[in-house]
Amino acid sequence: MNELIVHFGIAVLLFAVQAQIVPVLIWLERRGAGFIQDRLGPNRVGPLGLFQPLADALKLLFKQDVVPTQVHTLFFLIAPAVVVGLAAMSVATIPFGDTFTLMGQTYVLQVADVPVGLLYLLAIGSFSVYGIMLGGWASSNKYALFGAMRASAQMISYELGLGIGMASIVLLYSTFDIRDIVLAQQAGLLSWGIIQAPWIFVLLLVTIFAETNRLPFDLAEGEAEIVGFHVEYSSMKFALFFMAEYMHMFVGSVLLVAFFFGGWALPGVSYVNLTSWLQSFIGGSFEIASVLTVLLQLGVVIAKTFVILWIFIWVRWSFPRFRYDQLMRFGWQGVLPYAILSFVLTAACVYVKG
Amino acid sequence: MFGWIYIALCSLLVMFAILMVSARRPISSAVFLVLTLIGIGVLYLMMNAPLVATLQWLVYAGAIMVLFVFVVMLFQLRELNPTSISTHPGRFALLLLLGGGFLGLCLKGVIVGLQEQPVIMMGQTLVTGEASLKDFSLLLFSKHVFAFELLSVVLLATLVGAILLARRKQRVS
């Protein structure tokens, strides 16, 4: 029973981390936009404008929630929930820290340590098309339907590149288990994926940008020029789609950290030594020391994640949006051949190394 | 506990399957089919076969059904008119007999299963762990490679057949 409670606690902790990243990210995005465009950004609510997302959320919650009369009510209502729910589910197989001991039992800081973690992520990723399609279709609005078609065609096209990139990762580390992938990178900086295979990093970064509908790929929701799939949504339901986008961004960044930047690894830091040092520092209990170490690892992962997230924000405010035909041509004639090439290159490297 | 979760999941799955057949909008049918397929994946997971479960989600619920939903949305199929379903008494009786017989067989299987092992699925291992993922792939691409390739020919045949049917219909009209 204790075991079940600890597992539940881990799940709650990691979900809380993911959910609480969203407002921080929104603040970072708006302040970052201000910084890049040489203006201030929101700085009135709270210190440094940190409470601005809270105020936004309050505003969105209290806005009038319109359900148009022509919509298919059930699908219209569940579509945002599907999108956010899938975004929350995708964090389940990502490791945020190594093992720790509690009440004589050993746990890992991961919701589910399954041997097919990568496949699970791809499966959840392919489900997330449903939320967008349902939302667009249920709105009974031609423009929303077109928007949904556009968004899902984009996601399906770039899923190919993503899938092949994941296959290259599997080839490189010869495992489907994300925890094993991170563990393979603990032997110093040279064993990190970014040194081993930087070409896969480029591929995965681009496809994750497209999958999360971030600029320059944000045709799904380009507010100014084209009508997105969520044109009939209002108030918090509208905001949930964007919340899911930020959650996807977080998951994608954590994945990139796990694949290429060694997860919780810090060059020159041995966590085993750190645990024993902590144990002697606080005196006695190994369990407390191991829990502290794991929390430190969680902090390291999140710090690395924020570096990648900053790249997301940086790109958003630096590049203009693709046109739809450019997007499709780039996806099928640029990303897909590059993905296949990078797969072959990875295979050759693995073969040469033996 | 495990047995109750299993029974609840199975009831839910049967409900989704019935809703899929009885739904009047094609899009609702497609959505319930997706839910049924996802639920079957959860069943595999409960049988301790995470590989089969994720493949079920990835291939059926993820890839194939996205195509279905896409097509259904694009063509805006009309709602099924309930009067178009045949209510001829003879056919109805035949259907009742067949359906009832099938249901009876299923129930018998469930009852026998419950009597022999109260928790049917617990502890049975199909494809678990890293090693067996490797074994599975090796088997698939060495011993069973002929059947595997033959299946892709079946898919090709389906494709050709679908094109043939579609073209013939076009010529008539």
Side-chain angles (χ1 to χ4, degrees):
Chain A
M1 202 59 207
N2 272 337
E3 213 173 321
L4 207 64
I5 292 169
V6 174
H7 278 298
F8 186 69
I10 292 172
V12 169
L13 172 73
L14 293 183
F15 174 69
V17 166
Q18 190 194 21
Q20 292 314 309
I21 285 279
V22 174
V24 178
L25 211 53
I26 291 172
W27 174 82
L28 191 70
E29 172 129 85
R30 298 184 64 182
R31 293 291 294 199
F35 171 68
I36 288 171
Q37 297 176 338
D38 197 19
R39 55 186 175 85
L40 281 172
N43 66 345
R44 293 284 150 176
V45 192
L48 294 170
L50 265 171
F51 296 154
Q52 183 68 42
L54 198 69
D56 285 348
L58 269 178
K59 183 199 85 172
L60 284 163
L61 277 172
F62 285 110
K63 267 182 122 171
Q64 188 190 4
D65 192 6
V66 184
V67 179
T69 47
Q70 86 277 13
V71 299
H72 186 290
T73 318
L74 177 65
F75 290 160
F76 186 78
L77 291 183
I78 64 168
V82 169
V83 172
V84 172
L86 287 173
M89 272 170 75
S90 51
V91 91
T93 57
I94 300 175
F96 285 86
D98 210 357
T99 52
F100 64 98
T101 315
L102 206 63
M103 290 173 284
Q105 282 273 359
T106 308
Y107 305 95
V108 286
L109 197 60
Q110 185 176 0
V111 179
D113 184 14
V114 287
V116 287
L118 261 180
L119 283 179
Y120 170 85
L121 272 176
L122 277 178
I124 297 295
S126 61
F127 287 168
S128 59
V129 181
Y130 286 124
I132 289 175
M133 274 159 104
L134 276 185
W137 181 84
S139 302
S140 298
N141 178 325
K142 282 177 214 161
Y143 296 104
L145 187 64
F146 277 140
M149 288 294 160
R150 221 165 31 221
S152 34
Q154 171 189 343
M155 288 176 84
I156 292 170
S157 307
Y158 282 85
E159 224 162 67
L160 287 171
L162 187 72
I164 298 176
M166 294 269 195
S168 316
I169 290 287
V170 171
L171 208 58
L172 188 67
Y173 297 105
S174 64
T175 175
F176 277 93
D177 192 336
I178 305 176
R179 196 175 123 72
D180 286 351
I181 290 176
V182 175
L183 288 179
Q185 299 173 65
Q186 299 299 307
L189 200 60
L190 283 179
S191 65
W192 283 13
I194 188 75
I195 308 286
Q196 301 264 325
W199 56 90
I200 313 178
F201 175 70
V202 176
L203 172 68
L204 282 188
L205 190 69
V206 170
T207 48
I208 284 176
F209 262 92
E211 286 291 303
T212 49
N213 295 331
R214 285 288 293 185
L215 237 132
F217 299 97
D218 73 334
L219 285 146
E221 60 217 10
E223 299 96 344
E225 306 96 274
I226 43 178
V227 182
F229 60 89
H230 42 41
V231 62
E232 297 285 2
Y233 282 91
S234 53
S235 156
M236 200 60 198
K237 288 206 287 293
F238 177 75
L240 280 179
F241 284 113
F242 287 90
M243 204 175 139
E245 178 186 316
Y246 284 104
M247 285 161 94
H248 276 303
M249 251 167 80
F250 173 68
V251 171
S253 309
V254 175
L255 260 189
L256 287 176
V257 166
F259 289 162
F260 299 102
F261 298 97
W264 54 83
L266 278 180
V269 175
S270 157
Y271 282 108
V272 180
N273 292 347
L274 187 73
T275 311
S276 52
W277 179 80
L278 269 176
Q279 193 181 353
S280 62
F281 184 72
I282 41 179
S285 175
F286 172 73
E287 294 189 353
I288 295 174
S290 75
V291 171
L292 282 178
T293 315
V294 149
L295 288 179
L296 197 71
Q297 289 172 340
L298 177 67
V300 169
V301 170
I302 289 176
K304 287 181 180 177
T305 306
F306 264 101
V307 176
I308 309 245
L309 285 171
W310 175 251
I311 297 180
F312 274 84
I313 292 165
W314 190 10
V315 167
R316 171 165 184 176
W317 299 103
S318 307
F319 289 100
R321 178 181 298 137
F322 281 125
R323 221 172 45 223
Y324 190 64
D325 58 324
Q326 290 171 335
L327 174 100
M328 277 296 159
R329 197 178 311 135
F330 182 63
W332 289 94
Q333 298 182 355
V335 171
L336 191 61
Y338 178 76
I340 295 169
L341 266 180
S342 88
F343 184 76
V344 173
L345 188 62
T346 316
C349 284
V350 170
Y351 181 75
V352 167
K353 265 198 293 186
Chain B
M1 174 77 174
F2 196 85
W4 284 113
I5 294 175
Y6 176 71
I7 289 171
L9 182 66
C10 286
S11 332
L12 207 65
L13 273 182
V14 172
M15 197 183 79
F16 284 152
I18 292 173
L19 279 172
M20 180 228 141
V21 180
S22 63
R24 286 174 60 190
R25 285 168 185 267
I27 187 84
S28 314
S29 261
V31 169
F32 283 121
L33 183 54
V34 173
L35 287 175
T36 315
L37 290 171
I38 293 175
I40 291 172
V42 178
L43 273 185
Y44 290 143
L45 210 60
M46 291 179 82
M47 289 182 218
N48 218 352
L51 176 65
V52 186
T54 39
L55 286 181
Q56 162 89 12
W57 288 334
L58 193 63
V59 177
Y60 290 100
I64 293 180
M65 281 315 293
V66 165
L67 200 70
F68 274 43
V69 174
F70 228 96
V71 170
V72 169
M73 279 181 180
L74 271 179
F75 286 91
Q76 289 280 330
L77 301 173
R78 265 167 299 151
E79 280 182 31
L80 191 64
N81 192 354
T83 52
S84 69
I85 300 170
S86 169
T87 46
H88 188 264
R91 185 179 286 180
F92 188 73
L94 185 69
L95 284 177
L96 202 67
L97 198 70
L98 281 175
F102 184 66
L103 194 68
L105 278 177
C106 290
L107 275 179
K108 184 173 183 295
V110 168
I111 289 165
V112 169
L114 282 177
Q115 276 168 348
E116 283 180 354
Q117 281 172 303
V119 183
I120 317 162
M121 297 308 170
M122 215 162 168
Q124 287 189 0
T125 305
L126 289 179
V127 187
T128 49
E130 190 93 13
S132 58
L133 181 62
K134 207 169 179 176
D135 294 343
F136 175 79
S137 317
L138 281 176
L139 269 179
L140 190 66
F141 287 109
S142 59
K143 194 179 166 193
H144 300 293
V145 71
F146 182 70
F148 181 66
E149 293 298 331
L150 208 64
L151 271 179
S152 51
V153 178
V154 172
L155 280 180
L156 186 70
T158 319
L159 212 68
V160 173
I163 291 171
L164 202 72
L165 283 175
R167 284 186 70 90
R168 187 178 295 161
K169 201 172 174 185
Q170 208 172 40
R171 206 184 301 147
V172 168
S173 65

